[in-house]
Amino acid sequence: MMLTEINFDGIIGPSHNYAGLSPGNLAATRNQGRASNPRAAALQGVAKMRANLRLGLVQGILLPHARPDHRWVARLGTGFAEAPRHLQAQALSASAMWAANAATVSPAPDTADGRCHLTVANLVTMPHRSHEWPETLAQLRLAFAADCFAVHEPVPAPFGDEGAANHMRLAPAHGAPGVEIFVYGVTGGPFPARQHIEASRAVARMHGLDPDRTLFVQQSEAAIAAGAFHNDVVAVANGRVLFAHEQAFADKERFYADLRRLMPEVEIVEVPAAQVSLEDAIASYLFNAQLVTLRSGENALVVPEEARETASVWAWLQDHVAGNGPIRRIEVVDVRQSMANGGGPACLRLRVVADPATIDPRFLVDEAQLDRIAAVIEAHWPEVIAPDDINDPALIARIEMARAALLQTLGVVELIDSLP
């Protein structure tokens, strides 16, 4: 079995809009009420996947959920057309596009039974995301149906779990045993701490992780209060490299000492607050980047355009690369539509270490498959959604038909029956 890292990107759905549903996500709340461009957003996501393929990475997809979620609205005792405006927005949200919140993944080398384990995130802290998990579970059980995978239902409420956005893994190589790091929050000043330590501990137990090679680390209150609603807004890990802001963790000295004890070869790249403030790091999504291993063995960092446009961030990156640091290459991608809703390159992908031959091929893509996906998006995705459009019956019909067209094109007909 040839284990490799596969990035599964969420295809940005046709209901992508700016309803500002996520307190603590400063970009989402700042852009509330703006007109969105679902077609441009989805095509930006496809372009990012093409860029990853050109880097030699293996690329997968996760599919847009049925929106509006009529079943969820029915459980609230109403229909979409009659529901209050805030429930309509929550039912229509395209937030499942941020696949980093789909699940927490532990590769086979780390688990007691030698299988790759995935636990679907419950996302209970935010109403608009709390109803994602049933369809996420259905997709993951299709994509990872082989016996070498174990796909778990979510941790029960009230223990909030936000998936891989609060989980990191360090290992000498993707297919080697690693150290798994669960980052939880306790308090975040004016904003909610979304990841509960009990959820993290439950996931570690279900995955059969070695307690001696599993760390539970508290995110700093300052980071959450500044808008780092997930750990992946202030830290990312890959291979031997931990890339983090100086103010990411509540007790970084203890965390770093534990890491060096468990993995002496770890390379900790810390960005000083004196050079890049928390505010600049979060506004640019410097850390919400894809830190990936190229075929050469070097680390590359895939950052959004906003990182290049933030002077302090771009200066630090250029100095790091020039100084022969462990990150050897910077790749810039345009995901402005996702960024405006609070999700950068790392939010859009779920990392799974597995043998591609064991995965349902409908969830893996090459350039030709991305051509087919782009053609559906160009033909069916709405060009613009204005704030007052979200209860327009014609728009709702178009959103539902657009998703159905994509699923039919990809042959994932099992999921079409989730439409009303």
Side-chain angles (χ1 to χ4, degrees):
M1 182 176 290
M2 296 296 293
L3 299 182
T4 189
E5 181 176 86
I6 308 166
N7 288 279
F8 287 83
D9 276 42
I11 296 174
I12 298 174
S15 68
H16 166 68
N17 70 95
Y18 299 133
L21 299 174
S22 190
N25 183 331
L26 302 185
T29 53
R30 182 173 61 248
N31 290 304
Q32 181 178 4
R34 281 182 48 200
S36 66
N37 303 100
R39 188 183 308 163
L43 292 174
Q44 286 172 1
V46 170
K48 180 174 89 75
M49 288 189 268
R50 291 191 196 277
N52 284 348
L53 289 176
R54 289 194 295 270
L55 290 174
L57 306 176
V58 184
Q59 184 66 55
I61 53 170
L62 293 176
L63 303 168
H65 289 196
R67 291 293 178 267
D69 188 341
H70 293 283
R71 296 176 182 179
W72 182 70
V73 174
R75 291 179 62 196
L76 293 169
T78 186
F80 181 80
E82 299 77 35
R85 181 61 177 263
H86 68 282
L87 291 184
Q88 288 181 332
Q90 290 164 359
L92 196 64
S93 172
S95 53
M97 64 198 248
W98 293 309
N101 301 119
T104 303
V105 184
S106 294
D110 296 352
T111 67
D113 63 2
R115 294 191 292 169
C116 176
H117 286 251
L118 302 92
T119 294
V120 175
N122 60 32
L123 300 169
V124 295
T125 306
M126 297 293 161
H128 69 289
R129 305 213 64 181
S130 66
H131 55 101
E132 289 177 18
W133 73 261
E135 189 162 343
T136 299
L137 181 65
Q139 288 197 37
L140 296 185
R141 285 186 167 166
L142 278 181
F144 305 107
D147 291 341
C148 57
F149 297 102
V151 181
H152 304 277
E153 293 189 357
V155 173
F159 306 117
D161 179 28
E162 301 275 318
N166 288 300
H167 174 262
M168 299 183 290
R169 179 177 187 260
L170 290 159
H174 291 310
V179 176
E180 299 207 15
I181 304 151
F182 293 81
V183 183
Y184 63 92
V186 174
T187 181
F191 302 129
R194 302 189 188 187
Q195 184 71 29
H196 198 288
I197 190 171
E198 289 299 339
S200 297
R201 293 190 185 281
V203 171
R205 288 192 295 267
M206 288 191 291
H207 290 193
L209 301 181
D210 180 351
D212 293 334
R213 296 188 63 78
T214 306
L215 298 177
F216 299 92
V217 179
Q218 184 181 338
Q219 188 176 4
S220 77
E221 178 179 351
I224 299 173
F229 51 100
H230 294 133
N231 172 68
D232 68 2
V233 179
V234 285
V236 61
N238 180 63
R240 297 180 173 88
V241 179
L242 171 68
F243 179 46
H245 192 272
E246 179 185 1
Q247 296 172 287
F249 307 108
D251 187 352
K252 69 172 186 177
E253 288 80 9
R254 179 179 177 182
F255 172 36
Y256 293 172
D258 286 340
L259 263 188
R260 292 185 174 112
R261 173 177 53 82
L262 293 173
M263 191 175 167
E265 67 270 41
V266 67
E267 296 181 87
I268 298 173
V269 180
E270 184 181 85
V271 178
Q275 291 180 257
V276 177
S277 67
L278 265 178
E279 290 72 23
D280 279 359
I282 291 167
S284 66
Y285 271 29
L286 167 61
F287 298 97
N288 195 252
Q290 291 183 249
L291 184 57
V292 297
T293 304
L294 303 177
R295 288 177 177 173
S296 65
E298 293 180 327
N299 279 278
L301 191 69
V302 180
V303 299
E305 285 280 1
E306 287 79 356
R308 181 159 55 189
E309 295 167 357
T310 305
S312 63
V313 167
W314 195 245
W316 187 93
L317 287 170
Q318 297 308 298
D319 287 347
H320 178 81
V321 173
N324 203 32
I327 300 170
R328 301 304 314 133
R329 181 170 169 179
I330 308 299
E331 295 288 327
V332 181
V333 295
D334 178 4
V335 287
R336 291 187 188 276
Q337 285 285 316
S338 176
M339 287 285 290
N341 228 348
C347 282
L348 287 164
R349 63 93 174 94
L350 180 69
R351 307 164 82 170
V352 180
V353 172
D355 183 346
T358 63
I359 293 165
D360 188 319
R362 295 175 295 178
F363 290 87
L364 298 174
V365 293
D366 55 16
E367 288 280 5
Q369 188 76 317
L370 290 177
D371 287 345
R372 289 189 282 273
I373 291 169
V376 174
I377 291 167
E378 288 169 345
H380 296 286
W381 261 232
E383 185 174 358
V384 178
I385 296 181
D388 293 338
D389 292 342
I390 67 168
N391 59 357
D392 178 359
L395 174 67
I396 299 306
R398 182 170 186 181
I399 287 169
E400 292 174 339
M401 292 308 298
R403 175 179 176 270
L406 178 65
L407 298 188
Q408 289 165 348
T409 297
L410 298 179
V412 193
V413 294
E414 300 95 321
L415 297 176
I416 293 179
D417 67 0
S418 62
L419 289 171

